[in-house]
C-alpha cells in the first residue's frame, strides 16, 4: 500500500472481485490499514487529531471530527459543558444533512442514473436548488464548526469558542430552508424512487447497530449503542467501550449493518415528528421493522435528511450566543474511546495518549469496515442470482447494491467500478468496467 | 464570454475535499456553461492510462490536478496528463505541497533531521514531477480562492500569468483582526488545555500560529474559530520553506537573554512538541530540509 493511503485510504476501492474463477463469489475488501493509521498518528498532538482525521473522508468530515473529539474527551476524562455539547450536536446534524444531500443527489448511482432517477426533480426541485441547499448546508457547518468542509471547533473538553449572535441567526434562517428542501426531496423520492426500492428484492438478514437516545429512538449524534439481531431483538445496549469488543470480534451468524437502514431497525423510530410520520410510508410499503431489503437504505436516508434538518433547527433554537462556558478542565491524558452516530453509520475512535498529550496509539472503527461483511453477503447473493455471465445488468445491480450502503469508498458521481474475475492462480482472466 | 475552454479535473487520490470545494463554487454553473469537460475524474480509478493516452496532446486547455503523487504509477499518470494539457493547476494542498500525506515521509515522532527520503511511496508535490502553471492552495481550497481561480481562469478573456497563485500575496495575518500586544515568546502553549483569548494574536499568547508565513485569502477562517492557522495555503510569496520560516519567526520572538549560547531560544524552541506536524503540517513533502539532509549537510 502506498504511503498516501494512510490518510486518504478509504475512497480507494473501485474493484469487486469475483474470486476463484467459476465460483462466482463477489467481494469487496475495505482497506483497513489499522497499523498504518496508528503509525501515521503516533507522535501527533492530541488537539490536532480532529483536524487530521476529517481529511480521511471529506464527505463525512464532520462525523470524523466529532468522533475524534469525543474520544479525546474520554482520554482526558473531561465532561464538556452543556453549551459545548449543544454546539457539537448542532454541528453533527448539519454534517449529516450535508452528507445525505450530497450522497443522495451528487454521489449516488441508482435506478436510472443517480438520485435524479430516484427523486423526481421537477420545476419545484431543480438541481440548482439542491446545489444551493448543499452550499448553504456547508455554510451552516462553517458557522458551527469554524470551517466549511473541515470543521475546527471541537477540542478535547469542549469547543474553542462560541458562536456570534448574527451568525447564529443566519444559521437558523438557513436551517428552516434546508428543512423545506429535505421535505421536497422526500416527496420527490416517494414519487420516483419508492417504487424502484419496492422492485429491488435483494434482502440480507443482518444485525443492526445504531446509536439510540434515552427513549430508544434513533440518534444522529450521541447516545448509547444498540445492536439488535435480524429479528429485531436487542442483543446489547451499552457505551462505546462496552460494545467495541463485540464489534471487533464479530462471531454472530449474520453480518452487522450500520447506517440509515440499521438505524431504522435498531431504534424504536425516528426522533423527530415529521420523520416519524414519513417512516410510516416506508413501513406501509415494505413491512414493519426490521427491514433487510438492501435498497431500502436509500429510502431511510431520504427520511433522515428530513430528520437531520428538524434536529438541526431545534438544536440551533436551543443554542445561546455568547455562552462563555464552553470548555471543561482536563485530567491527565490516558486512553479513551468515543463514538458518534456518523452520517454513514456508527463511527468509533480510540486513542492512547502519553503524559504530554501526544498520540501513542490510534484506531478508527469505520462504518465501511463494520459493514464489509454485509456488503459482501449482498453481493454474493446477487451474483448467485445473476448466474455466471457478467452482463450490463449485473454490473448495474452491483453498482446499485454497493451504492445503497453509501460506503466512503464510493465517493464519485456516479462511481466507477471495475469487476475482475481471477483464475485459480490469481491472474485476472476477465475484466469489466463501468465508469 | 470568451471561447469555450476545454477543461478537466483529476484527483489522483485524496480525501474528496478538493472536488467538493469546486462543486460548491457559486460560479460552477457559469463555468460549466462556458466550457467543455474533457473528464471529471474524482479518483484515479475513474480513468485508465489508455483512456488518457487517447486524448489529443495539448487538447485540454486547463487541467486541475488534485491529490498528491506518491509512486511510479501516479508520477507516470501526472506526466501523461501534462502532455495532454496546455495549462495545469495544482489544486489544493496535496498537489501544491504534498499536503497532510507528506507527513508519511517522516518517521513518526521524528526530529527534523530525520526528514529523509524513504524508498518508494514517497509523497511529492506535483511540481516535483511535472511543470505546474498555476496553484490553487488550501486544504481544501477556501471558497474565496476557488472563486478567484474560476473567474480568472475560466470566465475572464485574458489568461492569468503563468505562476499565478490564486491566493493573496500577503500573509494570513493581514486578514486576522486580533489585537497585537507584541509580547515576547517566553513559553509555548497548547490550546486544548485552555482555549486562547479570541481577541488577541495567538503568538502574543504563546500559541504557535503559522499565519505570518502562510498565504492569505482564506479570510483567516481558522482564527475566527479560535484555532491557529496551521498553514494549509502554503508559504507566502518568496518563502521557500514554510516550516523553517515559522521556526525562524518564533526564534525571533524569544527575548534575548544576552547569553551567546542562545540557550533560552533553544529551551523555548525545544519545547515545541511534534515539530514536524506543527511547522510542516501540509508542507513536509515540499520542505527544503530533506534536501539538505540528502545532500549530506
Ligand atoms: S499570528 Fe496568527 S493570530 Fe497572530 S495576527 Fe497572525 S494569523 Fe492572527
Ligand atoms: S487560517 Fe491558515 S490553515 Fe486556516 S484556512 Fe487559512 S491558510 Fe488554511
Amino acid at each position: 500500500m502506498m504511503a498516501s493511503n494512510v490518510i486518504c485510504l478509504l475512497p480507494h476501492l473501485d474493484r469487486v472481485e469475483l474470486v476463484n474463477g467459476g465460483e462466482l463469489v463477489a467481494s469487496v475488501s475495505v482497506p483497513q490499514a489499522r497499523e498504518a493509521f496508528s503509525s501515521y498518528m503516533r507522535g501527533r498532538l492530541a488537539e490536532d487529531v480532529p483536524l487530521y482525521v476529517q481529511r480521511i473522508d471529506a464527505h463525512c468530515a464532520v462525523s470524523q471530527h466529532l468522533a475524534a473529539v469525543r474520544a479525546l474527551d474520554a482520554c482526558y476524562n473531561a465532561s464538556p459543558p452543556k453549551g459545548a455539547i449543544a454546539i457539537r450536536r448542532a454541528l453533527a446534524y448539519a454534517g449529516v444533512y450535508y452528507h445525505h444531500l450530497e450522497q443522495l443527489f451528487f454521489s449516488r448511482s441508482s435506478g436510472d442514473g443517480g438520485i435524479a432517477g430516484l427523486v423526481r426533480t421537477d420545476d419545484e426541485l431543480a438541481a440548482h436548488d439542491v446545489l444551493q441547499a448543499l452550499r448553504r448546508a456547508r455554510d451552516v457547518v462553517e458557522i458551527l464548526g469554524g470551517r466549511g468542509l473541515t470543521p475546527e471547533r471541537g477540542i478535547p473538553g469542549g469547543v474553542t469558542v462560541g458562536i456570534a449572535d448574527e451568525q447564529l441567526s443566519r444559521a437558523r434562517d438557513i436551517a428552516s430552508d434546508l428543512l423545506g428542501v429535505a421535505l421536497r426531496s422526500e416527496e420527490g423520492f416517494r414519487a420516483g424512487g419508492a417504487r424502484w426500492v419496492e422492485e429491488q428484492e435483494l434482502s440480507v438478514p443482518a444485525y443492526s447497530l445504531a446509536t439510540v437516545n434515552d427513549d430508544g429512538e434513533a440518534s444522529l449524534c450521541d447516545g448509547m449503542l444498540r445492536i439488535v439481531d435480524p429479528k429485531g431483538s436487542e442483543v446489547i445496549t451499552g457505551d462505546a467501550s462496552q460494545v467495541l469488543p463485540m464489534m471487533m470480534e464479530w462471531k454472530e451468524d449474520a453480518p452487522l449493518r450500520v447506517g440509515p437502514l440499521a438505524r431504522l431497525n435498531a431504534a424504536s423510530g425516528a426522533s423527530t415528528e415529521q420523520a416519524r410520520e414519513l417512516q410510516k410510508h416506508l413501513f406501509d410499503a415494505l413491512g414493519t421493522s426490521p427491514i433487510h431489503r438492501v435498497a431500502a437504505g436509500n429510502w431511510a436516508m431520504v427520511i433522515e435528511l428530513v430528520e437531520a434538518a428538524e434536529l438541526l433547527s431545534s438544536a440551533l433554537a436551543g443554542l445561546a450566543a455568547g455562552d462563555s462556558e464552553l470548555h471543561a478542565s482536563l485530567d491527565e491524558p490516558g486512553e479513551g474511546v468515543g463514538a458518534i452516530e456518523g452520517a454513514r453509520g456508527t463511527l468509533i475512535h480510540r486513542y492512547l495518549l502519553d503524559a504530554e498529550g501526544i498520540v501513542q496509539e490510534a484506531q478508527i472503527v469505520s462504518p465501511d469496515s463494520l459493514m464489509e461483511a454485509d456488503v459482501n453477503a449482498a453481493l454474493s447473493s446477487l451474483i448467485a442470482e445473476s448466474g455466471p455471465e457478467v452482463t450490463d445488468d449485473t454490473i448495474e445491480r452491483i453498482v446499485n447494491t454497493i451504492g445503497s450502503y453509501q460506503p466512503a469508498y464510493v465517493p464519485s458521481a456516479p462511481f466507477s467500478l471495475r469487476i475482475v474475475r481471477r483464475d485459480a492462480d490469481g491472474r485476472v482472466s476477465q475484466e469489466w468496467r463501468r465508469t | 464570454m470568451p471561447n469555450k475552454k476545454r477543461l478537466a479535473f483529476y484527483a489522483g487520490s485524496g480525501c474528496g475535499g478538493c472536488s467538493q470545494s469546486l462543486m460548491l463554487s457559486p460560479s460552477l454553473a457559469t463555468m460549466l456553461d462556458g466550457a467543455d469537460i474533457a473528464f471529471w475524474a474524482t479518483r484515479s480509478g475513474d480513468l485508465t492510462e489508455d483512456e488518457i493516452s487517447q486524448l489529443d496532446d495539448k487538447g485540454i486547455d486547463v487541467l486541475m490536478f488534485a491529490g498528491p503523487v506518491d509512486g511510479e504509477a501516479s508520477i507516470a499518470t501526472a506526466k501523461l496528463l501534462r502532455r495532454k494539457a496546455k495549462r495545469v493547476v495544482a489544486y489544493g494542498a496535496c498537489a501544491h505541497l504534498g499536503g497532510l500525506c507528506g507527513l508519511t515521509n517522516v518517521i513518526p515522532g521524528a526530529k527534523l533531521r530525520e526528514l529523509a527520503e524513504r524508498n518508494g511511496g514517497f509523497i511529492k508535490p506535483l511540481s516535483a514531477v511535472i511543470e505546474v502553471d498555476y496553484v490553487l492552495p488550501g486544504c481544501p481550497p477556501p471558497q474565496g480562492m476557488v472563486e478567484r481561480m474560476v473567474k480568472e481562469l475560466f470566465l475572464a478573456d485574458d489568461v492569468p500569468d503563468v505562476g499565478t497563485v490564486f491566493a493573496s500575496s500577503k500573509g494570513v495575518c493581514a486578514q486576522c483582526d486580533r489585537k497585537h500586544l507584541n509580547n515576547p515568546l517566553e513559553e509555548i502553549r497548547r490550546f486544548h488545555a485552555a482555549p486562547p483569548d479570541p481577541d488577541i494574536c495567538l503568538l502574543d499568547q504563546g500559541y504557535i500560529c503559522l499565519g505570518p508565513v502562510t498565504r492569505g485569502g482564506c479570510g483567516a477562517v481558522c482564527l475566527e474559530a479560535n484555532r491557529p492557522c496551521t498553514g494549509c495555503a502554503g508559504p507566502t510569496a518568496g518563502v521557500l520553506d514554510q516550516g523553517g520560516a515559522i521556526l525562524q519567526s518564533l526564534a525571533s520572538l524569544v527575548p534575548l537573554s544576552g547569553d551567546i549560547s542562545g540557550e533560552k531560544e533553544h529551551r523555548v524552541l525545544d519545547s515545541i512538541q511534534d515539530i514536524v506536524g506543527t511547522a510542516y503540517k501540509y508542507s513536509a513533502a515540499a520542505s527544503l530540509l530533506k534536501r539538505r539532509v540528502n545532500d549530506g549537510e
Side-chain angles (χ1 to χ4, degrees), chain B:
Chain B
M1 175 72 60
N3 287 340
K4 273 199 170 190
K5 287 187 174 138
R6 195 160 160 76
L7 62 90
F9 183 86
Y10 180 86
S13 62
C15 67
C18 282
S19 56
Q20 285 184 75
S21 69
L22 187 56
M23 186 176 83
L24 290 166
S25 158
S27 308
L28 181 75
T30 326
M31 176 180 109
L32 295 181
D33 270 354
D36 288 327
I37 310 285
F39 55 82
W40 195 282
T42 55
R43 64 208 168 118
S44 54
D46 289 352
L47 208 60
T48 61
E49 295 272 315
D50 275 356
E51 285 161 340
I52 303 172
S53 300
Q54 281 159 23
L55 299 168
D56 292 341
D57 281 2
K58 303 289 172 215
I60 299 166
D61 289 304
V62 181
L63 167 77
M64 292 164 275
F65 188 111
V69 281
D70 63 354
E72 278 173 26
S74 68
I75 292 172
T77 306
K79 287 185 173 162
L80 186 56
L81 285 167
R82 175 70 264 194
R83 270 207 349 243
K84 306 295 171 186
K86 289 185 193 136
R87 294 277 182 253
V88 172
V89 184
Y91 193 114
C94 290
H96 177 201
L97 302 163
L100 290 179
C101 301
L103 289 173
T104 60
N105 291 353
V106 185
I107 298 154
K111 300 276 185 287
L112 280 181
R113 69 183 64 233
E114 286 166 335
L115 255 173
E117 186 160 341
R118 294 189 320 218
N119 290 330
F122 185 73
I123 302 286
K124 292 183 169 73
L126 187 61
S127 61
V129 299
I130 60 168
E131 214 172 296
V132 165
D133 301 298
Y134 306 114
V135 173
L136 175 62
C139 182
Q143 201 185 324
M145 296 186 195
V146 177
E147 284 312 283
R148 187 177 150 195
M149 180 201 75
V150 170
K151 288 201 174 104
E152 292 185 19
L153 259 187
F154 302 112
L155 306 182
D157 288 327
D158 300 327
V159 285
D161 293 338
V162 166
T164 298
V165 179
F166 299 107
S168 170
S169 54
K170 294 189 185 140
V172 170
C173 297
Q175 289 187 306
C176 172
D177 49 17
R178 289 170 180 249
K179 271 195 263 86
H180 290 278
L181 304 177
N182 297 322
N183 286 339
L185 184 64
E186 300 279 2
E187 60 165 344
I188 302 288
R189 298 168 73 191
R190 287 172 56 190
F191 66 92
H192 68 299
D197 184 324
D199 298 320
I200 294 172
C201 170
L202 292 173
L203 287 173
D204 278 325
Q205 301 179 65
Y207 300 97
I208 299 178
C209 177
L210 267 64
V213 298
T214 301
R215 269 189 194 267
C218 61
V221 61
C222 301
L223 286 307
E224 286 284 310
N226 207 19
R227 276 244 181 196
C229 169
T230 52
C232 81
T236 41
V239 171
L240 286 178
D241 192 284
Q242 194 180 14
I246 190 62
L247 295 175
Q248 204 174 11
S249 304
L250 294 175
S252 72
L253 294 174
V254 180
L256 291 175
S257 56
D259 165 9
I260 199 158
S261 69
E263 196 252 332
K264 190 166 183 183
E265 285 96 323
H266 285 162
R267 184 180 53 73
V268 174
L269 294 185
D270 282 351
S271 71
I272 302 175
Q273 284 157 320
D274 186 18
I275 197 160
V276 178
T278 301
Y280 292 96
K281 197 172 252 91
Y282 303 90
S283 68
S287 162
L288 293 175
L289 285 168
K290 66 171 190 306
R291 286 178 218 157
R292 292 236 178 104
V293 172
N294 293 341
D295 292 348
E297 285 178 38

Side-chain angles (χ1 to χ4, degrees), chain A residues 168-298:
Chain A
L168 197 51
S169 42
R170 194 169 148 244
R172 287 177 183 139
D173 289 346
I174 296 176
S176 66
D177 291 351
L178 295 182
L179 178 58
V181 170
L183 288 165
R184 280 153 60 198
S185 302
E186 194 278 337
E187 223 173 276
F189 181 87
R190 259 187 296 133
R195 183 169 321 134
W196 178 82
V197 171
E198 287 177 62
E199 285 162 9
Q200 308 304 306
E201 283 172 3
L202 180 66
S203 187
V204 177
Y207 286 74
S208 299
L209 163 68
T211 306
V212 294
N213 64 20
D214 291 345
D215 298 323
E217 297 159 339
S219 164
L220 293 180
C221 179
D222 44 9
M224 295 298 254
L225 302 189
R226 183 162 193 246
I227 296 180
V228 299
D229 70 16
K231 291 203 161 65
S233 306
E234 179 178 295
V235 177
I236 184 174
T237 299
D239 64 23
S241 56
Q242 289 167 310
V243 179
L244 185 62
M246 187 175 174
M247 287 154 55
M248 295 310 293
E249 297 245 335
W250 190 250
K251 294 197 179 88
E252 308 304 320
D253 48 358
L256 187 64
R257 177 169 300 151
V258 292
L261 190 55
R263 292 193 273 261
L264 188 82
N265 289 339
S268 61
S271 60
T272 59
E273 218 173 295
Q274 299 194 65
R276 249 194 322 271
E277 277 304 306
L278 297 174
Q279 279 183 341
K280 288 181 186 160
H281 298 296
L282 185 156
F283 292 130
D284 284 348
L286 304 178
T288 51
S289 167
I291 289 169
H292 296 300
R293 189 186 296 245
V294 171
N298 296 289

